[in-house]
């Protein structure tokens, strides 16, 4: 079915007939990846945005969002595609918990359209997905960040490494915790494989960015291993001014 991570064109056409592409946000059949109605509803993150995490800010003069103005992040810079609100949040939920794996190609394509130049400008050497705890990944059946990372790798030509970073222990869902609890929750949660060939500039991939606790924890272990610059890309990003 697949060769080098991509399905053969004839099989893709057959699958499109049997299982026609659907918009990841409303589920309606569309040949445009994202239907016209949802394109009008989703909120692409544009300037002005936080120079650090990419959250939207009120004016061009405002360099950082409230979160980044208050705390020093370990990651160097990040970007997100859309604001985390409906219908984006519904699409991510379907992607993660209802086995809509093919949404990964839509999200990766949008990332490349919006941030391909940013990726190349930052001279990214390797794409690294945020890992899930093994038991959680077995239960879900896949790691959503890895699916996006693989698709982005195909589009960008930058290699993906799913084994560079691993999760040492299970953690509580970040969404149920406050910022201080999130940081404590992830303490000692990640490690870097000793056999990993250290890259100077890497790009982390995850589904949602909120306070940056996860990105900071992974950036910390990567920089301890010798990485110089850590960037990130996510499907969505929380609102913050």
């Amino acid at each position: 079915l697949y060769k080098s991570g991509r399905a053969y064109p004839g099989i893709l056409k057959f699958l499109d007939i049997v299982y026609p592409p659907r918009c990841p946000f409303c589920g309606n059949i569309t040949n445009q990846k994202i239907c016209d109605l949802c394109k009008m509803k989703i909120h692409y993150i544009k300037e002005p945005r936080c120079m650090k995490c990419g959250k939207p800010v009120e004016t061009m003069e405002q360099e950082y969002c409230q979160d980044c103005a208050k705390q020093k992040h370990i990651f160097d810079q990040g970007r997100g595609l859309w604001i985390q609100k409906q219908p984006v949040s519904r699409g991510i939920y379907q992607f993660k918990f209802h086995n809509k794996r093919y949404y990964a190609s839509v999200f990766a394509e949008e990332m490349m359209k919006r941030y391909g130049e940013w990726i190349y400008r930052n001279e990214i050497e390797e794409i690294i997905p945020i890992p899930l705890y093994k038991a959680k990944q077995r239960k879900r059946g896949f790691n959503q960040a890895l699916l996006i990372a693989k698709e982005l790798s195909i589009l960008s030509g930058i290699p993906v490494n799913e084994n560079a970073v691993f999760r040492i222990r299970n953690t509580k869902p970040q969404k149920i915790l406050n910022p201080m609890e999130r940081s404590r929750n992830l303490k000692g949660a990640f490690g870097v494989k000793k056999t990993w060939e250290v890259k100077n500039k890497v790009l982390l991939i995850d589904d949602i960015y909120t306070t940056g606790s996860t990105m900071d924890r992974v950036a910390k272990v990567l920089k301890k291993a010798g990485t110089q610059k850590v960037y990130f890309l996510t499907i969505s990003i929380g609102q913050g001014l």
Side-chain angles (χ1 to χ4, degrees):
L1 179 61
Y2 284 86
K3 183 178 181 181
S4 301
R6 276 210 180 280
Y8 291 108
I11 296 176
L12 279 176
K13 290 180 181 178
F14 172 75
L15 291 175
D16 282 349
I17 294 172
V18 179
Y19 304 103
R22 292 180 179 274
C23 173
F25 303 120
C26 66
N28 291 331
I29 294 173
T30 178
N31 58 3
Q32 303 180 66
K33 300 294 180 75
I34 301 173
C35 75
D36 289 333
L37 185 58
C38 285
K39 283 179 182 177
M40 295 172 62
K41 293 180 179 179
I42 58 180
H43 296 266
Y44 282 93
I45 299 175
K46 303 176 182 178
E47 299 293 349
R49 73 177 100 210
C50 175
M51 293 175 58
K52 192 71 172 180
C53 74
K55 283 185 179 179
V57 295
E58 290 183 321
T59 66
M60 292 298 294
E61 291 71 32
Q62 186 178 346
E63 294 184 347
Y64 301 104
C65 67
Q66 289 183 2
D67 288 341
C68 291
K70 293 176 183 176
Q71 67 178 99
K72 185 177 180 180
H73 288 294
I74 300 172
F75 65 81
D76 290 275
Q77 194 177 56
R79 292 289 182 263
L81 275 174
W82 301 296
I83 295 173
Q84 175 65 4
K85 60 189 296 185
Q86 297 294 7
V88 172
S89 52
R90 180 170 58 247
I92 294 175
Y93 183 84
Q94 291 292 323
F95 174 45
K96 292 170 64 173
F97 302 112
H98 288 271
N99 203 30
K100 305 296 185 182
R101 303 187 194 197
Y102 60 93
Y103 287 1
S105 63
V106 179
F107 298 144
E109 189 173 309
E110 287 291 316
M111 285 179 173
M112 198 61 196
K113 285 180 183 177
R114 296 277 168 172
Y115 298 115
E117 184 180 339
W118 177 80
I119 291 171
Y120 293 132
R121 185 171 66 247
N122 288 315
E123 302 176 324
I124 302 300
E125 298 170 58
E126 197 165 78
I127 300 171
I128 299 175
I130 297 295
L132 287 177
Y133 189 62
K134 288 183 178 180
K136 185 177 288 186
Q137 184 164 332
R138 283 196 300 269
K139 183 178 180 180
R140 186 174 298 173
F142 63 95
N143 176 1
Q144 69 277 0
L146 175 57
L147 295 184
I148 298 171
K150 285 183 174 180
E151 293 290 338
L152 188 62
S153 175
I154 292 168
L155 295 170
S156 66
I158 300 170
V160 59
N161 192 325
E162 61 182 287
N163 299 311
V165 178
F166 62 96
R167 198 176 281 254
I168 297 171
R169 60 182 179 83
N170 199 8
T171 54
K172 295 178 182 178
Q174 290 287 88
K175 62 183 179 181
I176 67 172
L177 306 174
N178 62 41
M180 187 175 294
E181 290 172 335
R182 289 182 182 199
S183 182
R184 288 200 299 262
N185 184 47
L186 293 171
K187 189 175 182 179
F190 299 100
V192 174
K193 285 287 182 70
K194 292 181 179 179
T195 55
W196 180 55
E197 184 180 340
V198 177
K199 305 300 181 194
N200 290 325
K201 299 176 182 179
V202 302
L203 177 67
L204 302 178
I205 298 294
D206 205 2
D207 51 355
I208 305 169
Y209 176 94
T210 47
T211 63
S213 297
T214 301
M215 299 302 178
D216 277 332
R217 288 295 177 181
V218 176
K220 183 176 182 179
V221 297
L222 284 168
K223 290 192 173 185
K224 187 176 180 180
T227 299
Q228 295 178 7
K229 298 284 186 179
V230 178
Y231 302 90
F232 76 79
L233 263 181
T234 58
I235 302 170
S236 70
I237 200 164
Q239 298 181 72
L241 299 174

